[in-house]
């Protein structure tokens, strides 16, 4: 289990400890899955619950979610489903706190237990209890609902009114109709109709601006920003298809990895991962066998929809996967593409390609071709730029069959202007090799640079300058040819395991560098172009950047929606048009 821990991400999610028969013994949640699982696995005190759980377990699994709220909901569902013996809380729900919006003349929000007999709409349960109290605080702050236990008439409102956290029904400063509107918004928020609420707030801001009620418009705008921020952090995973199964298949260096996520009630309810390691030539029945495994396990009484997507990288689609277009694995079931915003979540749940599956074959091929053992530690470097703008580099680390993501490094190229891959590579390698020479960074056995003989010569020059002794290779992208520091030229396609090894490391370095380059360019573009638009001052720019922090979001918004934030329509049109032009360039 400690070996498996290396591939667990440092992300929020739920984990399950199981015995040798697959029975779930314990379900837990954490903001950082790897950290929490490490705490369990390293427990040494026999009186410690973590120690007893691990001693009784033979394996663990995990499911990545987007935030702590989703982890909480999933943990509760899995505990009720499996009734794990080491979970004391949550089995019967007696200790769950709930939120109730009371049915009084001027309702409030209360935290109650299951035994609560009063009237009103109930929401929950919430575990731990602090989540219920935090949500009640948020609701009263966002929608200015009273927080007092009993409503007593007053001549003057209390402090909550003066700090704008209540509309003071106690002092008659708000009508029943207006207060009821506040309550209805809180209910819509709790029920998940946040998109409708945001649209309504947009309309009311516009109406208040037309009536010159600027103070009211400002309050509504602040409420809109707060609601939108909360929605983005804790929106349900699946709104359109709450009962479905999602299959995701990815190929890197001819190794297939995949995941099937089971969604019930709008949350991830279960996960199955799989690996496939086909050997050339391509197996025409590969995908059919993959999806048959999933289909046989589908519950036809509960599953009405399946989302399906296969991703094959940027270098083209292998010939053997063309059958995907006509593949109908679920008969009468609908097949939908996976929304782009869910792909990061699926990739995090998909287990990384594990070279331990074929490490012996890789070691054999490497020694056969290069006449020496497979390097234990490899660093790979790649340069990314767009016409000389935001030139960056990446360094990824592979050690003993695993990518060491905590040791990845990104570099901004500082001394090179324009497009010059050789000079950029020389600067980055000089900075990295200097640290290796000083003993600040562990020395690799092999360094790989993306490129041909020119990039290889640059790397050799820098290595020799510092008097370092590791080997240096380069890999040419199109031909997939490796050039070595001893003058060897190896066509990797002739050796399946070497091909997977070199291309996967190179592709990982390329991905890491490209993502950094894009981030720098989009951040710079968004800030600079907003500053240059006439009519967008510091306050409006800050508002736009807060609501639409990504250039893609701003490019997708309509001018009229932007105008509802108090921005003149003519200015809003210019902002959106320029955002769309810039987004096409990224």
């Amino acid at each position: 289990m400690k070996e498996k821990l290396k591939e667990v991400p440092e992300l929020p999610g739920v984990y399950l400890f199981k015995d040798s028969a697959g029975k779930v013994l314990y379900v837990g949640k954490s903001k950082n899955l790897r950290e929490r699982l490490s705490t369990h696995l390293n427990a040494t005190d026999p009186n410690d619950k973590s120690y007893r759980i691990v001693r009784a377990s033979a394996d663990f699994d995990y499911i990545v979610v987007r935030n702590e709220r989703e982890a909480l909901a999933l943990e509760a569902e899995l505990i009720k489903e499996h009734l794990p013996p080491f979970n004391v809380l949550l089995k019967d729900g007696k200790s769950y706190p709930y939120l109730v919006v009371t049915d009084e003349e001027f309702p409030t929000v209360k935290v109650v237990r299951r035994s609560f007999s009063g009237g009103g709409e109930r929401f929950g349960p919430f575990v731990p209890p602090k989540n219920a109290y935090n949500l009640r605080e948020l609701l009263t702050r966002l929608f200015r609902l009273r927080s007092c236990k009993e409503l007593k008439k007053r001549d003057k409102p209390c402090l909550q009114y003066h700090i704008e956290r209540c509309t003071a029904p106690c002092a008659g400063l708000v009508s029943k109709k207006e207060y009821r509107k506040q309550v209805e918004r809180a209910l819509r928020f709790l029920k998940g109709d946040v998109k409708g609420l945001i649209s309504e707030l947009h309309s009311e801001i516009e109406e208040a601006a037309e009536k010159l009620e600027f103070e009211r418009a400002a309050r509504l705008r602040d409420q809109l920003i707060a609601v939108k921020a909360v929605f983005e952090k804790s929106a349900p995973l699946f709104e359109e298809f709450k009962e479905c199964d999602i299959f995701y298949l990815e190929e890197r260096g001819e190794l297939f990895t995949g995941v099937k996520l089971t969604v019930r009630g709008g949350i991830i309810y279960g996960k199955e991962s799989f690996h496939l390691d086909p050997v050339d030539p391509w197996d025409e029945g590969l995908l059919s066998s993959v999806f048959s495994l999933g289909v046989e396990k589908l519950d036809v009484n509960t599953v009405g929809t399946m989302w399906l997507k296969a991703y094959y990288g940027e270098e083209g689609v292998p010939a053997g996967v063309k059958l995907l277009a006509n593949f109908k694995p679920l008969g009468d079931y609908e097949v939908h593409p996976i929304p782009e915003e869910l792909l990061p979540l699926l990739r995090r749940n998909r287990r990384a390609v594990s070279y331990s599956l074929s490490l012996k074959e890789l070691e054999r091929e490497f020694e056969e071709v290069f006449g020496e053992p497979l390097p234990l530690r490899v660093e790979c470097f790649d340069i990314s730029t767009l016409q000389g703008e935001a030139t960056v580099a990446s360094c990824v680390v592979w050690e003993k069959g695993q990518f060491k993501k905590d040791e990845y490094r990104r570099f901004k190229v500082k001394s090179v202007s324009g497009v010059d891959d050789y000079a950029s590579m020389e600067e980055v390698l000089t900075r990295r090799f200097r640290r290796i020479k000083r003993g600040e960074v562990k020395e690799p056995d092999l360094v790989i640079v993306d490129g041909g003989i020119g990039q290889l010569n640059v790397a050799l020059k820098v290595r020799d300058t510092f008097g370092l002794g590791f080997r240096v290779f380069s890999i040419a992208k199109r031909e997939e040819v490796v050039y070595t520091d001893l003058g060897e030229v190896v066509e990797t396609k002739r050796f399946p395991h070497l091909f997977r090894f070199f291309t996967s490391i190179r592709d990982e370095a390329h991905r890491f560098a490209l993502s950094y380059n894009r981030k720098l360019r989009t951040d710079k573009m968004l800030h600079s172009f907003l500053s240059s638009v006439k009519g967008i001052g510091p306050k409006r720019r800050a508002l736009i950047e807060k609501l639409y922090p990504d250039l893609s979001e701003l490019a997708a918004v309509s001018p009229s929606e932007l105008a509802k934030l108090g921005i003149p329509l003519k200015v809003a049109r210019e902002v959106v048009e320029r955002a769309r032009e810039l987004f096409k360039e990224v």
Side-chain angles (χ1 to χ4, degrees):
M1 286 192 286
K2 284 189 175 180
E3 186 65 27
K4 186 176 179 180
L5 180 65
K6 295 177 182 177
E7 65 185 41
V8 178
E10 295 181 341
L11 295 168
V14 172
Y15 57 93
L16 305 89
F17 278 100
K18 302 177 181 180
D19 63 16
S20 57
K23 175 180 170 59
V24 177
L25 302 178
Y26 180 73
V27 176
K29 67 172 178 64
S30 177
K31 292 180 181 178
N32 186 321
L33 284 168
R34 184 188 296 179
E35 188 176 287
R36 178 62 60 80
L37 283 165
S38 177
T39 301
H40 281 294
L41 295 175
N42 290 314
T44 57
D45 183 356
N47 296 317
D48 189 347
K49 182 179 177 181
S50 291
Y51 180 86
R52 298 198 304 273
I53 291 171
V54 173
R55 290 280 293 179
S57 301
D59 194 10
F60 70 81
D61 200 358
Y62 63 90
I63 299 173
V64 178
V65 296
R66 294 187 303 183
N67 52 53
E68 196 175 11
R69 177 178 176 270
E70 290 173 359
L72 169 67
L74 178 56
E75 180 196 39
E77 289 298 325
L78 291 176
I79 289 174
K80 286 187 286 185
E81 169 71 15
H82 296 290
L83 298 177
F86 283 98
N87 287 95
V88 178
L89 293 175
L90 304 178
K91 286 187 182 179
D92 57 10
K94 290 180 180 177
S95 61
Y96 284 165
Y98 290 78
L99 281 183
V100 168
V101 179
T102 63
D103 58 0
E104 301 168 89
E105 184 178 21
F106 291 95
T108 186
V109 182
K110 291 183 177 181
V111 178
V112 302
R113 299 288 173 171
R114 178 168 286 183
S115 58
F116 177 72
S117 58
E121 289 198 56
R122 183 178 302 193
F123 300 88
F126 297 90
V127 179
K130 68 177 183 180
N131 290 334
Y133 290 97
N134 289 343
L135 185 53
R136 181 186 65 177
E137 170 69 15
L138 176 67
L139 290 168
T140 54
R141 176 168 54 84
L142 279 183
F143 304 105
R144 303 182 72 193
L145 301 179
R146 68 179 182 88
S147 57
C148 49
K149 292 183 179 179
E150 294 183 18
L151 183 64
K152 297 180 179 179
K153 289 187 177 182
R154 296 170 176 264
D155 295 327
K156 295 181 180 180
C158 68
L159 177 64
Q160 294 297 311
Y161 172 79
H162 293 292
I163 62 174
E164 297 188 350
R165 293 202 170 188
C166 179
T167 48
C170 58
L173 298 181
V174 62
S175 66
K176 289 183 183 179
K177 181 179 179 182
E178 189 63 29
Y179 192 87
R180 172 48 60 180
K181 185 180 288 187
Q182 297 169 210
V183 173
E184 287 172 354
R185 285 177 178 164
L187 287 169
R188 289 171 67 180
F189 184 88
L190 284 168
K191 292 175 181 178
D193 183 21
V194 184
K195 287 185 176 179
L197 177 57
I198 289 173
S199 177
E200 180 182 301
L201 286 169
H202 271 302
S203 300
E204 289 206 22
I205 291 171
E206 193 173 14
E207 179 185 337
E210 288 177 358
K211 294 180 179 179
L212 304 181
E213 298 173 351
F214 299 116
E215 187 175 339
R216 177 168 168 258
R219 280 202 311 270
L220 291 168
R221 181 196 60 200
D222 293 341
Q223 191 176 81
L224 171 66
I225 292 171
V227 170
K228 193 173 188 292
V230 172
F231 172 66
E232 288 173 346
K233 289 179 181 177
S234 59
L237 269 176
F238 308 101
E239 293 181 333
E240 187 177 357
F241 300 109
K242 294 188 176 181
E243 310 289 330
C244 66
D245 288 87
I246 303 176
F247 287 87
Y248 175 73
L249 182 67
E250 182 168 326
E251 180 268 330
R252 292 283 175 108
E254 301 187 17
L255 284 173
F256 282 87
T257 59
V259 65
K260 171 197 168 187
L261 297 183
T262 302
V263 179
R264 298 293 180 268
I267 63 171
I268 301 174
Y269 199 74
K271 182 188 80 169
E272 294 177 52
S273 299
F274 49 85
H275 289 285
L276 289 155
D277 187 3
V279 179
D280 288 342
W282 290 91
D283 179 2
E284 290 289 332
L286 172 65
L287 292 181
S288 178
S289 66
V290 171
F291 291 111
S292 292
L293 289 174
V295 172
E296 289 173 2
K297 297 179 182 178
L298 291 178
D299 182 352
V300 295
N301 296 317
T302 59
V303 180
T305 307
M306 184 184 83
W307 287 340
L308 172 64
K309 182 171 177 102
Y311 173 75
Y312 301 101
E314 300 175 359
E315 302 301 322
V317 179
V321 301
K322 290 181 180 177
L323 60 93
L324 180 66
N326 300 315
F327 191 53
K328 302 290 185 182
L330 288 182
D332 296 332
Y333 290 122
E334 299 177 31
V335 178
H336 295 267
I338 297 174
E340 288 294 324
E341 61 268 20
L342 293 182
L343 288 178
L345 182 69
L346 288 165
R347 288 171 182 161
R348 288 167 185 163
N349 275 288
R350 175 188 60 83
R351 289 178 62 186
V353 174
S354 175
Y355 285 94
S356 60
L357 296 174
S358 55
L359 198 55
K360 288 185 179 180
E361 287 298 314
L362 175 58
E363 290 172 343
R364 181 189 61 77
E365 280 192 355
F366 194 94
E367 189 158 4
E368 175 188 329
V369 173
F370 298 106
E372 60 184 74
L374 177 71
L376 295 179
R377 181 180 173 88
V378 180
E379 291 188 0
C380 184
F381 295 82
D382 186 32
I383 303 291
S384 180
T385 187
L386 180 66
Q387 299 176 347
E389 184 181 353
T391 302
V392 299
S394 66
C395 168
V396 301
V397 179
W398 182 94
E399 188 173 83
K400 298 178 182 179
Q402 299 289 338
F403 284 111
K404 307 282 287 186
K405 295 194 174 184
D406 56 336
E407 297 188 40
Y408 285 13
R409 292 296 180 267
R410 288 167 166 164
F411 303 85
K412 285 184 183 179
V413 175
K414 303 173 182 177
S415 64
V416 181
S417 58
V419 180
D420 191 335
D421 280 356
Y422 294 160
S424 299
M425 184 67 76
E426 183 173 358
E427 179 197 320
V428 169
L429 293 181
T430 298
R431 289 159 59 184
R432 182 67 171 181
F433 291 0
R434 182 181 291 117
R435 295 197 66 199
I436 293 173
K437 182 68 175 179
R438 291 172 176 170
E440 298 171 4
V441 178
K442 187 176 178 181
E443 183 172 346
D445 301 298
L446 170 65
V447 164
I448 301 172
V449 293
D450 182 33
I453 295 176
Q455 282 83 358
L456 175 66
N457 288 334
V458 169
L460 290 175
K461 172 187 171 184
V462 180
R463 181 197 68 177
D464 294 343
T465 298
F466 288 98
L468 298 168
F470 49 74
R471 297 206 64 184
V472 177
F473 293 179
S474 69
I475 178 169
K477 189 168 293 183
R478 290 187 179 180
E479 301 83 6
E480 306 297 352
V481 171
V482 167
Y483 301 94
T484 80
D485 48 6
L486 299 179
E488 300 156 303
V489 180
V490 179
E491 296 179 11
T492 60
K493 289 184 178 179
R494 295 171 51 202
F495 308 96
H497 298 284
L498 282 182
F499 174 77
R500 295 165 188 164
F501 172 69
F502 284 112
T503 57
S504 294
I505 292 177
R506 188 269 319 281
D507 290 348
E508 178 70 353
H510 177 68
R511 177 199 66 78
F512 197 52
L514 184 62
S515 64
Y516 189 37
N517 174 267
R518 283 176 175 163
K519 183 181 186 305
L520 291 180
R521 286 189 286 116
T522 53
D523 289 351
K524 181 180 177 181
M525 284 178 178
L526 182 59
H527 188 81
S528 62
F529 104 77
L530 286 175
S531 300
S532 66
V533 175
K534 189 176 180 180
I536 299 294
K539 290 185 178 180
R540 285 176 176 170
R541 187 187 68 227
L543 176 63
I544 294 172
E545 288 178 343
K546 187 172 184 179
L547 285 172
Y548 307 100
D550 190 271
L551 190 59
S552 61
E553 291 185 54
L554 192 55
V557 75
S558 67
S560 59
E561 183 177 342
L562 207 57
K564 290 177 182 178
L565 300 177
I567 297 170
L569 185 58
K570 183 179 178 181
V571 177
R573 286 197 187 101
E574 184 179 353
V575 169
V576 172
E577 286 172 7
R578 293 186 62 178
R580 289 171 181 172
E581 290 173 5
L582 287 172
F583 185 62
K584 290 177 184 177
E585 297 174 10
V586 177

